[in-house]
Amino acid sequence: MSEKRIKRKKLHKKLFTKNRLVILNEDTFEETFSLRLTLMNVFVVASLGAIFLIAVTTFIIAFTPLREFIPGYSSTQLKKDATELALKSDSLTAILKKNQAYISSIQKVLTGELDYAKFNKDSILAAPTDTVPKKDLSASEAELELRAEVEKEDKKAQQTPVKKKK
């Protein structure tokens, strides 16, 4: 026989040899517990136990608030607070720009660089806002002709009765 086959037979014999695990009471030498095991059974039970332990740990971490204690995970409340603060800071920045424009306009009036009669608070506050350029939205001649044709076809379709098939 080849060496590989001999080694396989020895390994098979070691894995499937039945052994007995006995727990004895030390004072009376009374057998408390007895169990027949093979090395393969011990390996399978240990592997299944490890897989079960990993699965339970993953489940606990993934679906409970315990995950917040792991570095890199943030709480949902923290995320909500961060988005609220970002929105507030954006609005405060816009208000600050308006106030700065208002103050600079008042400074111009006080130093005499701006004529007092031309000063209007509403125009200053409206100035920094971006305006969308207006486009000509009137229909072209080709579009008007197409609309007229479609209306004629709709009128014809409404006037002709629909025949029912039996």
Side-chain angles (χ1 to χ4, degrees), residues 15-114:
L15 286 176
F16 292 102
T17 302
K18 292 184 181 179
N19 297 312
R20 181 173 227 141
L21 173 68
V22 178
I23 299 177
L24 298 173
N25 186 348
E26 192 169 320
D27 295 335
T28 62
F29 293 109
E30 180 185 351
E31 186 176 313
T32 308
F33 181 73
S34 175
L35 188 62
R36 272 193 315 185
L37 298 172
T38 63
L39 196 55
M40 183 58 103
N41 289 347
V42 173
F43 177 72
V44 169
V45 169
S47 298
L48 290 176
I51 290 171
F52 177 74
L53 187 64
I54 290 169
V56 168
T57 304
T58 304
F59 180 78
I60 288 173
I61 290 173
F63 298 109
T64 62
L66 189 62
R67 68 174 165 238
E68 295 173 12
F69 294 108
I70 297 174
Y73 285 102
S74 59
S75 67
T76 54
Q77 184 63 35
L78 183 65
K79 288 179 183 178
K80 285 181 184 177
D81 292 343
T83 53
E84 285 180 20
L85 289 175
L87 292 173
K88 283 181 183 179
S89 66
D90 287 343
S91 63
L92 287 175
T93 303
I95 291 171
L96 182 65
K97 285 181 182 178
K98 287 181 181 179
N99 285 341
Q100 296 241 341
Y102 178 70
I103 290 171
S104 66
S105 298
I106 289 181
Q107 284 177 342
K108 286 181 183 178
V109 169
L110 292 176
T111 58
E113 295 175 14
L114 186 65

Side-chain angles (χ1 to χ4, degrees), residues 132-141 143-144 147:
V132 178
K134 294 183 179 178
K135 292 186 177 181
D136 184 25
L137 298 177
S138 59
S140 66
E141 291 181 25
E143 187 177 350
L144 291 173
R147 287 182 185 177

Side-chain angles (χ1 to χ4, degrees), residues 113-156:
E113 295 175 14
L114 186 65
D115 198 13
Y116 181 71
K118 293 181 182 177
F119 177 71
N120 185 0
K121 180 180 175 183
D122 293 333
S123 66
I124 291 172
L125 293 177
T129 59
D130 295 333
T131 57
V132 178
K134 294 183 179 178
K135 292 186 177 181
D136 184 25
L137 298 177
S138 59
S140 66
E141 291 181 25
E143 187 177 350
L144 291 173
E145 290 175 8
L146 179 65
R147 287 182 185 177
E149 287 179 27
V150 170
E151 283 180 22
K152 287 179 186 177
E153 289 178 7
D154 286 343
K155 286 181 183 178
K156 287 180 184 177

